[in-house]
Amino acid sequence: MKIDLNLFVVFDAIYCEGNITKAASVLNLSQPAVSHSLGKLRTHFDDALFIRQGNEMRPTPVAKNVIDDVREALHQLQVCLVQSRQFEPLTSRKSFSLSLHGSLEPYYLPILQQSLSLESPSINLSSNKRVRRTELENKLASGDIDLAIDTLIPVSNNIMHTQLELDQLVVVARKNHPAINPDLDLTTYLKLDHVLVSSRSTGPSLEDFELSRIGLHRKISLRCQHALSACRVILNNDMLLTLPKTAAAMYSKMLDIDIHPMPVELPDIGVHLYWHVNVDKEPANKWLRNKMIIAATNTRIPTP
């Protein structure tokens, strides 16, 4: 049998005040409304619950028997309501799931995890393979993922987003590349073989799409999933690799590679953080979003 939880608030008020009029005043309700609620409770418990003696409403044995449980339940409900508006990262054991492109993991995750380890040691973070863009809204709405990081894509009003980074494309090549002397021109760029980094097995990359818009095409000789693998590949041959500048700068610190400007002007790449409108004000999600924004700021590589 279903019962309105607000009836137990009325029950507790009558028990405390010993008077329906006083209980109504405390609850900011009319006296008939409190009497009506009491009537529903009497039907539910099949007991009078309170018996009038003079100006007082004295609890019956049934009322005395359940009052402690009612107050404990109301207290726990109040605790839940308070906790829903608060988030304590230091003690939280919450698990978060991110949809993050593999090439972005080494860029965002190290400083993010360092921050979480210090401020929220019991929180679990899972970086999953990027979901299909057509599935992004459903995954965020269902809670399968808490946040997503991707390039700027069309989304409905149910998905909120903010820009983390505005990056530009550059070309990566091995040191002392024989065809680059000293600068990389467009003819050479289009003539040489290229490595393409993509999580998809087919389809053009963002740079190939933009090149095709201006009538240009390059030769893709190798397609792989991870930027680090692609960087290692070009160490031993004359192939070229096109990457966002932030990623290229990061890998150049680990490998003996050179970074060259794109020989043709292409649009900058906007990297955005996405979340569902339902969790926009949810404290835990808001906290993690702020951490992601701080991580993006701290890892940002200044433009010379």
Side-chain angles (χ1 to χ4, degrees):
M1 178 179 179
K2 293 183 179 180
I3 185 168
D4 186 351
L5 294 179
N6 289 318
L7 296 179
F8 291 107
V9 177
V10 173
F11 175 84
D12 186 42
I14 297 173
Y15 201 103
C16 289
E17 301 299 328
N19 183 283
I20 289 181
T21 302
K22 291 180 180 179
S25 178
V26 168
L27 297 172
N28 198 27
L29 295 173
S30 67
Q31 182 174 332
V34 172
S35 296
H36 181 68
S37 295
L38 178 57
K40 288 184 175 181
L41 284 168
R42 284 169 167 168
T43 299
H44 177 76
F45 283 100
D46 192 22
D47 187 84
L49 296 178
F50 298 96
I51 298 174
R52 187 181 300 278
Q53 293 185 2
N55 293 327
E56 294 186 9
M57 298 291 288
R58 296 290 182 88
T60 67
V62 172
K64 292 178 180 179
N65 189 46
V66 300
I67 184 60
D68 289 341
D69 290 337
V70 167
R71 286 174 173 171
E72 176 63 21
L74 291 175
H75 172 71
Q76 290 299 324
L77 180 60
Q78 184 63 33
V79 169
C80 290
L81 291 173
V82 170
Q83 289 179 345
S84 71
R85 301 187 188 97
Q86 298 176 347
F87 178 66
E88 297 295 339
L90 185 62
T91 57
S92 175
R93 296 181 177 275
K94 186 174 177 62
S95 295
F96 292 102
S97 179
L98 307 178
S99 172
L100 183 62
H101 193 287
S103 65
L104 295 175
E105 278 194 339
Y107 178 55
Y108 286 108
L109 285 188
I111 193 167
L112 176 62
Q113 185 57 46
Q114 181 181 17
S115 175
L116 295 185
S117 297
L118 294 173
E119 299 182 26
S120 46
S122 298
I123 282 180
N124 179 267
L125 187 65
S126 175
S127 173
N128 300 317
K129 184 178 180 181
R130 183 178 62 173
V131 300
R132 294 179 182 274
R133 289 170 176 170
T134 55
E135 299 175 353
L136 178 64
E137 182 167 341
N138 287 337
K139 293 292 186 180
L140 288 169
S142 67
D144 285 348
I145 56 174
D146 297 291
L147 298 172
I149 300 179
D150 210 324
T151 55
L152 183 61
I153 56 177
V155 291
S156 75
N157 292 334
N158 291 325
I159 303 300
M160 307 185 75
H161 60 99
T162 186
Q163 182 173 287
L164 294 177
E165 188 75 38
L166 187 61
D167 214 342
Q168 57 186 176
L169 291 170
V170 295
V171 182
V172 179
R174 68 181 177 93
K175 289 282 188 181
N176 304 314
H177 194 294
I180 305 175
N181 188 23
D183 300 320
L184 175 64
D185 57 56
L186 181 56
T187 300
T188 303
Y189 179 81
L190 297 176
K191 179 182 178 181
L192 293 174
D193 293 341
H194 290 257
V195 182
L196 170 61
V197 178
S198 177
S199 59
R200 298 177 298 162
S201 59
T202 60
S205 65
L206 177 63
E207 57 267 31
D208 287 306
F209 175 78
E210 294 297 339
L211 286 170
S212 67
R213 285 166 60 95
I214 54 178
L216 300 176
H217 302 275
R218 59 179 186 159
K219 180 184 177 184
I220 305 299
S221 297
L222 175 64
R223 191 179 188 116
C224 65
Q225 298 182 68
H226 303 289
L228 179 58
S229 301
C231 287
R232 291 180 62 85
V233 166
I234 66 169
L235 287 174
N236 302 310
N237 55 55
D238 293 337
M239 299 174 75
L240 301 180
L241 171 63
T242 303
L243 287 177
K245 184 177 182 179
T246 48
M250 177 180 59
Y251 291 122
S252 69
K253 295 179 180 180
M254 299 184 287
L255 302 170
D256 196 23
I257 54 178
D258 281 334
I259 301 174
H260 304 276
M262 278 291 295
V264 61
E265 186 174 348
L266 297 181
D268 290 338
I269 303 172
V271 178
H272 284 241
L273 177 65
Y274 297 87
W275 66 96
H276 198 273
V277 66
N278 289 347
V279 295
D280 183 50
K281 295 182 180 180
E282 199 268 317
N285 191 280
K286 186 175 182 179
W287 174 82
L288 185 61
R289 295 198 307 266
N290 289 335
K291 286 296 176 185
M292 294 298 301
I293 293 170
I294 293 172
T297 301
N298 290 341
T299 55
R300 190 166 295 145
I301 298 174
T303 301

